[in-house]
Amino acid sequence: MKKELILHGLAWGHLPAWLIEDELRDRRLISIAGAHLPGRTETLAAVRRRDRPHGPVAQALWLHLQAQVASGEAL
């Protein structure tokens, strides 16, 4: 909803870069980040319980995330 409001010129605010990369590239949106409005850094974390076994899908996802981090690729 926030993205739609911003795209229609009815609001402004922070949106994560991955969500608006196409709009930034084709100039439907422009960044207003600068010296007085630097933006922010997003931190992602993946956590899981250690006291219970995980199913095959959860285990496959965990291994995929570990491989992405080890290779330095963006998620």
Side-chain angles (χ1 to χ4, degrees):
M1 177 62 93
K2 181 178 176 181
K3 179 181 175 180
E4 290 301 315
L5 288 171
I6 292 171
L7 283 170
H8 285 90
L10 300 172
W12 66 274
H14 174 79
L15 291 170
W18 61 266
L19 184 64
I20 56 167
E21 60 190 16
D22 293 337
E23 290 84 358
L24 289 171
R25 188 174 24 261
D26 64 21
R27 308 286 292 165
R28 283 183 285 160
L29 293 177
I30 60 169
S31 174
I32 60 172
H36 300 290
L37 192 63
R40 65 182 188 214
T41 301
E42 302 293 331
T43 301
L44 299 176
V47 297
R48 70 179 188 165
R49 294 184 66 140
R50 297 169 102 183
D51 62 341
R52 295 184 182 175
H54 303 282
V57 174
Q59 184 62 22
L61 175 60
W62 189 255
L63 293 174
H64 174 74
L65 292 173
Q66 286 179 319
Q68 293 290 313
V69 170
S71 70
E73 293 182 35
L75 300 173

